[in-house]
């Protein structure tokens, strides 16, 4: 800093030399705190890898396991690392139809991740909107919405989903609809709790005094301040939705046979476990477990980063 020259007022002028100071924005602080956890970074890397494999499955999978022209029934239930009749090496073995398990897992990830993420996004939109409405409107509106939430949460999620799919039947869209119905209440309760606190803040009172439209106050001012807990719940619910879809498919009420998921792959090999053909269910189960754990690792650390009360 230099004060060699004096202005007319007699006060020295200060000149800052060197590199400009970097301003720490909330986003930079969030990224810095998130990457401090090695487990969270590991979970994020594994999840990104799973999503990449799912998206590129048609291009990198050794075989399209659901193209009948590429299957050989004589290769059914081959052990991992065995060379098939056509000279093709099945690194993770085959199922009872001669389908390559490695390819089946890659294609199964596509369905599991799509159903989990799709249902979580729709449930978040529905639940968050109802939660914001309940908190802002109050009165009878709040009472009706929260009684619906209590009613929904009183049923076990898997039981409710089974009842819905027993009525609707199999299909990816029906599974997504069933998961949305059993998941939206979690988002509504979380958003309502946060919105009730934010609704008493001065900026909401100022917006009301300016006679801003209700929809603008809710979605422009109230919703952004409810995003941190919503992001955490959404991350956890994606993992939960994937697990629920796998359970439904394992029980035979999930996706159809022509559109495989990891749960359906596990179900296909269940009856062969006692005969020693473990790989038909084992490897899809490992892929499902690793995917769910990676999402939970990310979500658990997001909870710590986005909740100041949990910071040490």
């Amino acid at each position: 800093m230099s004060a060699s020259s004096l202005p007319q007022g007699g006060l020295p002028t200060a000149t800052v030399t060197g590199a400009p100071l970097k301003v720490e924005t909330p986003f930079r602080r969030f990224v810095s705190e998130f990457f401090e956890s090695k487990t969270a970074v590991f979970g994020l890397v594994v999840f990104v890898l799973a999503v990449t494999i799912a998206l590129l499955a048609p291009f990198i999978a050794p075989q399209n396991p659901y193209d009948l022209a590429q299957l050989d029934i004589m290769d059914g239930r081959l052990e991992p690392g065995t060379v098939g009749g056509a000279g093709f090496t099945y690194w993770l073995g085959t199922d009872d139809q001669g389908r390559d398990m490695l390819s089946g897992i890659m294609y199964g990830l596509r369905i599991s991740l799509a159903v989990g993420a799709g249902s979580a996004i729709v449930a978040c939109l529905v639940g968050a909107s109802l939660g914001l409405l309940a908190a802002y409107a109050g009165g009878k509106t709040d009472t009706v919405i929260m009684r619906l939430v209590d009613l929904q949460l009183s049923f076990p999620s898997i039981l409710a989903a089974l009842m819905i799919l027993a009525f609707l039947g199999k299909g990816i869209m029906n599974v997504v609809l069933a998961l949305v119905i059993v998941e939206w209440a979690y988002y509504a309760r979380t958003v309502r709790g946060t919105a009730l606190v934010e609704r008493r803040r001065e900026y909401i009172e100022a917006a009301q005094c300016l006679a801003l439209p209700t929809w603008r106050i809710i979605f422009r001012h109230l919703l952004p301040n409810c995003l941190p807990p919503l992001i955490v719940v959404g991350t956890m619910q994606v993992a939960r939705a994937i697990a629920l879809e796998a359970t439904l498919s394992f029980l035979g009420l999930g996706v159809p046979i022509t559109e495989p998921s990891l749960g359906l792959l596990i179900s296909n090999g269940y009856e062969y476990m006692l005969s020693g053909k473990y790989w038909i269910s084992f490897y899809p189960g490992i892929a499902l477990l690793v995917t769910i754990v990676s999402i939970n690792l990310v979500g658990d650390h997001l909870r710590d980063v986005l909740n100041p009360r949990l910071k040490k």
Side-chain angles (χ1 to χ4, degrees), residues 7-309:
Q8 294 180 356
L11 296 176
T13 59
T15 304
V16 178
T17 60
L21 297 175
K22 291 184 178 180
V23 179
E24 185 181 27
T25 63
F27 177 75
R28 285 182 178 177
R29 184 167 59 251
F30 166 77
V31 172
S32 175
E33 293 178 355
F34 179 84
F35 281 93
E36 288 179 355
S37 172
K38 294 181 179 179
T39 56
V41 173
F42 173 76
L44 180 62
V45 170
V46 172
F47 177 67
V48 171
L49 180 62
V51 172
T52 303
I53 291 174
L55 293 176
L56 299 180
F59 307 101
I60 64 177
Q63 175 195 78
N64 183 347
Y66 295 91
D67 182 2
L68 297 179
Q70 300 183 32
L71 303 183
D72 186 353
I73 194 64
M74 300 302 295
D75 290 340
R77 299 193 295 276
L78 292 179
E79 294 186 3
T82 303
V83 179
F88 183 82
T89 302
Y90 299 102
W91 297 109
L92 298 184
T94 64
D95 63 4
D96 56 335
Q97 300 296 320
R99 293 176 291 208
D100 177 39
M101 291 307 304
L102 177 59
S103 302
I105 291 173
M106 291 181 177
Y107 276 81
L109 273 173
R110 292 165 60 89
I111 302 298
S112 295
L113 291 174
V115 171
S119 62
I121 291 173
V122 177
C124 180
L125 293 175
V126 175
S129 299
L130 292 176
L132 288 170
L133 179 61
Y136 188 82
K140 293 183 179 180
T141 302
D142 183 27
T143 301
V144 171
I145 293 177
M146 295 315 297
R147 293 299 76 77
L148 289 175
V149 170
D150 294 338
L151 179 63
Q152 174 62 54
L153 296 179
S154 65
F155 285 93
S157 299
I158 185 63
L159 178 60
L162 284 172
M163 293 172 60
I164 295 170
L165 288 176
F167 176 76
L168 296 178
K170 295 182 179 181
I172 291 181
M173 296 307 299
N174 290 342
V175 173
V176 171
L177 177 60
L179 294 179
V180 169
I181 294 175
V182 301
E183 285 185 337
W184 71 271
Y186 295 94
Y187 295 97
R189 185 174 62 177
T190 301
V191 171
R192 176 184 177 270
T194 306
L196 284 176
V197 177
E198 295 296 328
R199 188 176 181 272
R200 300 184 179 94
R201 304 288 187 184
E202 290 78 4
Y203 69 91
I204 295 296
E205 295 179 359
Q208 292 172 338
C209 291
L210 292 174
L212 296 179
T214 301
W215 66 267
R216 184 174 180 180
I217 296 176
I218 293 177
F219 293 103
R220 184 73 179 272
H221 301 283
L222 193 57
L223 177 59
N225 292 283
C226 298
L227 286 180
L230 192 61
I231 293 173
V232 174
V233 172
T235 305
M236 297 296 189
Q237 287 301 110
V238 169
R240 187 169 180 269
I242 293 175
L244 280 174
E245 183 278 323
T247 304
L248 294 171
S249 296
F250 180 84
L251 295 175
L253 288 175
V255 298
I257 298 177
T258 56
E259 297 172 316
S261 70
L262 295 178
L264 187 59
L265 293 175
I266 297 172
S267 177
N268 290 340
Y270 179 73
E271 60 182 298
Y272 301 106
M273 291 287 288
L274 295 179
S275 62
K277 311 296 183 181
Y278 67 91
W279 60 86
I280 303 178
S281 293
F282 178 75
Y283 291 121
I286 291 297
L288 177 65
L289 176 64
V290 170
T291 302
I292 293 176
V293 169
S294 67
I295 298 174
N296 283 329
L297 289 176
V298 174
D300 186 65
H301 189 58
L302 280 176
R303 181 192 60 187
D304 297 339
V305 172
L306 295 175
N307 189 347
R309 297 179 181 178

